[in-house]
Amino acid sequence: EAEEGIQLIVTAEKRPDERQDVPISLTVFSREDIEDSDIDSIEAIANETPNFTAYTAGRNFILYSSRGLSNSNFLSRDPTAFYVDNIPYDYTGFLELDLTDLEQIEVLRGPQSTLYGRNAIAGVTNITTRRPTNEPEYTFSTSLGNLISPEFRASASGPIIDDNLFFRLSGNFKEREGFLT
């Protein structure tokens, strides 16, 4: 009697495929992986992905390196494409965002310019948020970190008009005390 495992469908080649059928070096995170690893930023994605590093270089800028290509040269195009729900984030300053209520993350390594354009010579990071549901759904989580830094995350989803129109609302709140009073 064979047990069925989790079937993960990826859209790396702009069409749904099973992960094993995609001939690309990729790392995929399911909703459960994202929650278990507490992935909520580009840095957290990089910490879980081979050949991908990232760190915050100032208030609103992320420096990253994917397969040896980085965005450290401000005069050139970024070598990695970032998409959130199929919307490109071309400027790295836009990447310092809190990622909440995520469904799936796909990190494609290697040249992807054929499908994703010229800013994808080192790879692509596709981030997909959760879709609205026809059934009411609520989540809430909280955490407390060093320097008295509370964090609250919440989401709600459900029908506005049954079987026709749905909503999803999510957000988070983060605060951190400083080193000095």
Side-chain angles (χ1 to χ4, degrees):
E1 199 174 302
E3 287 187 38
E4 285 191 34
I6 297 173
Q7 183 179 11
L8 198 56
I9 303 298
V10 298
T11 56
E13 294 185 307
K14 302 254 182 170
R15 65 176 187 256
D17 280 322
E18 289 189 36
R19 178 168 40 183
Q20 294 298 326
D21 296 336
V22 178
I24 297 172
S25 174
L26 72 142
T27 300
V28 181
F29 301 100
S30 65
R31 180 189 314 176
E32 293 79 19
D33 295 334
I34 294 166
E35 290 173 358
D36 290 345
S37 299
D38 195 27
I39 295 175
D40 62 354
S41 66
I42 298 296
E43 286 182 77
I45 295 170
N47 289 340
E48 301 290 329
T49 306
N51 295 324
F52 185 32
T53 58
Y55 67 92
T56 303
R59 185 175 177 103
N60 292 319
F61 197 79
I62 292 179
L63 286 175
Y64 66 84
S65 174
S66 181
R67 293 181 61 107
L69 297 171
S70 72
N71 66 333
S72 60
N73 184 351
F74 300 111
L75 300 176
S76 66
R77 289 287 206 180
D78 287 350
T80 301
F82 293 91
Y83 286 81
V84 178
D85 290 332
N86 294 321
I87 297 171
Y89 280 65
D90 287 338
Y91 178 63
T92 312
F94 296 143
L95 296 178
E96 184 55 38
L97 40 95
D98 293 322
L99 301 173
T100 59
D101 219 17
L102 300 180
E103 180 68 31
Q104 183 168 304
I105 300 169
E106 302 172 2
V107 180
L108 293 70
R109 292 182 300 279
Q112 305 297 325
S113 301
T114 304
L115 294 174
Y116 292 95
R118 68 179 177 178
N119 284 1
I121 59 173
V124 173
T125 300
N126 283 324
I127 300 167
T128 307
T129 59
R130 291 185 191 175
R131 300 280 152 229
T133 60
N134 195 22
E135 298 296 321
E137 178 182 292
Y138 306 96
T139 62
F140 181 78
S141 67
T142 183
S143 63
L144 184 65
N146 66 343
L147 298 176
I148 309 172
S149 56
E151 180 175 357
F152 304 97
R153 295 181 195 169
S155 70
S157 182
I160 295 174
I161 301 173
D162 285 339
D163 299 323
N164 288 314
L165 182 61
F166 318 116
F167 80 94
R168 181 165 214 85
L169 178 67
S170 65
N172 67 345
F173 171 80
K174 235 186 242 191
E175 185 177 56
R176 184 172 179 187
E177 296 286 328
F179 289 102
L180 303 173
T181 303

